[in-house]
Amino acid sequence: MSTGLIVSISGPSGVGKGTVIDRLREVLPGCGHSISVTSRAPRGQEQDGVEYFFRTKEEFEKLIAEGEIIEYDQYVGNYYGTPLTPLLKMSKSGTNVLLDLTVAGSLALKEKFDDTVTIFLLPPSMDELRSRLSGRGTETEELVDKRMAQAKGEIAQAEKFDYVVTNRTVEQAVEEIAAIMKAENRRFRRSRDAVETLLAQ
Ligand code: 5GP
């Protein structure tokens, strides 16, 4: 059996990564996603082991020391990291796995597993990004300005990713990412077994 793809999606805050990933999982049933560990507090209805594994900073640092966190980053003062064991288990069983990581997180994961498929999600324009960030209604103008400056720095790193997809509409972005995954699954190195089986007949 071939291993599942590890697909890491990044993009600036407000670009709509979460929505795109949720929709991808609806249209690609059987596609798994990596549940990250974080030291931030749960928001709203979030539950431990569903959206995240919620841990204290000390517990998080212990997981790092044990080598159980394959990559991690800090975002707004909290740790976020990808647990190694479930990721490997899913991929080895042939399940494609989606990850929602910071830009640095995707690049760090690719360093560790060079087979990782990295996708950068772009906003259609900087004006659109600003209006999406302001539209959340949760951020002050000053915070929006700060996130916009951060977004520019992140977009400048898009060239380090394998693919860029513009999130004009969720449906279009999802369709493009699904197409990327289909093509990635047809790479020769991932289809070697099929070829070898035929040659052995
Ligand atoms: P939030 O607090 O809004 O759920 O997530 C904040 C940011 O953390 C998002 O940009 C998300 O992509 C990132 N993130 C979530 N889990 C991980 C992780 O395991 N590793 C890294 N590097 N970033 C993560």
Side-chain angles (χ1 to χ4, degrees), residues 9 11 17 36-37 40 43 46 52 71-73 75 80-82 100-102 104-106:
I9 304 179
K17 266 183 309 171
S36 297
V37 186
R40 85 149 161 75
R43 287 195 294 243
E46 286 181 339
Y52 284 103
E71 67 69 39
Y72 69 95
D73 201 355
Y75 183 86
Y80 293 81
T82 304
D100 169 353
L101 305 184
T102 57
S106 281

Side-chain angles (χ1 to χ4, degrees), residues 44-62:
Q45 303 294 308
E46 286 181 339
Q47 283 173 35
D48 184 43
V50 179
E51 287 82 6
Y52 284 103
F53 294 109
F54 296 100
R55 297 291 180 268
T56 63
K57 282 203 164 166
E58 293 68 32
E59 287 167 337
F60 194 102
E61 283 161 0
K62 188 160 173 269

Side-chain angles (χ1 to χ4, degrees), residues 3 36 132 172:
T3 55
S36 297
R132 287 183 195 176
Q172 193 187 343

Side-chain angles (χ1 to χ4, degrees), residues 8-201:
S8 184
I9 304 179
S10 296
S13 177
V15 78
K17 266 183 309 171
T19 313
V20 166
I21 291 177
D22 287 349
R23 185 75 189 123
L24 262 172
R25 294 186 62 219
E26 280 169 21
V27 301
L28 303 173
C31 193
H33 89 291
S34 162
I35 302 173
S36 297
V37 186
T38 183
S39 64
R40 85 149 161 75
R43 287 195 294 243
Q45 303 294 308
E46 286 181 339
Q47 283 173 35
D48 184 43
V50 179
E51 287 82 6
Y52 284 103
F53 294 109
F54 296 100
R55 297 291 180 268
T56 63
K57 282 203 164 166
E58 293 68 32
E59 287 167 337
F60 194 102
E61 283 161 0
K62 188 160 173 269
L63 288 170
I64 298 173
E66 289 166 356
E68 182 47 29
I69 301 289
I70 177 81
E71 67 69 39
Y72 69 95
D73 201 355
Q74 292 208 34
Y75 183 86
V76 205
N78 289 302
Y79 282 126
Y80 293 81
T82 304
L84 177 62
T85 310
L87 180 66
L88 287 188
K89 201 169 155 197
M90 276 190 278
S91 176
K92 278 193 181 137
S93 70
T95 302
N96 293 331
V97 191
L98 295 171
L99 297 100
D100 169 353
L101 305 184
T102 57
V103 171
S106 281
L107 297 174
L109 188 63
K110 180 108 184 164
E111 282 276 308
K112 296 267 170 69
F113 295 135
D114 65 354
D115 212 27
T116 304
V117 179
T118 54
I119 302 178
F120 197 103
L121 202 57
L122 290 173
S125 68
M126 294 313 277
D127 280 349
E128 176 65 26
L129 185 65
R130 177 176 284 277
S131 78
R132 287 183 195 176
L133 281 171
S134 311
R136 283 177 173 180
T138 51
E139 329 260 22
T140 61
E141 259 325 281
E142 198 191 333
L143 242 175
V144 170
D145 285 343
K146 215 168 139 193
R147 291 220 192 278
M148 288 298 292
Q150 193 178 334
K152 275 248 165 106
E154 288 171 337
I155 292 169
Q157 300 203 61
E159 64 175 341
K160 298 177 187 158
F161 282 64
D162 298 320
Y163 297 94
V164 286
V165 169
T166 300
N167 187 17
R168 285 195 183 78
T169 68
V170 174
E171 287 311 309
Q172 193 187 343
V174 163
E175 197 177 296
E176 288 181 20
I177 295 172
I180 290 167
M181 291 170 69
K182 210 169 190 177
E184 282 288 338
N185 265 317
R186 291 296 162 268
R187 281 197 185 269
F188 177 76
R189 66 175 187 276
R190 299 198 179 97
S191 308
R192 199 178 295 274
D193 286 358
V195 176
E196 281 171 4
T197 305
L198 284 174
L199 291 178
Q201 286 171 8

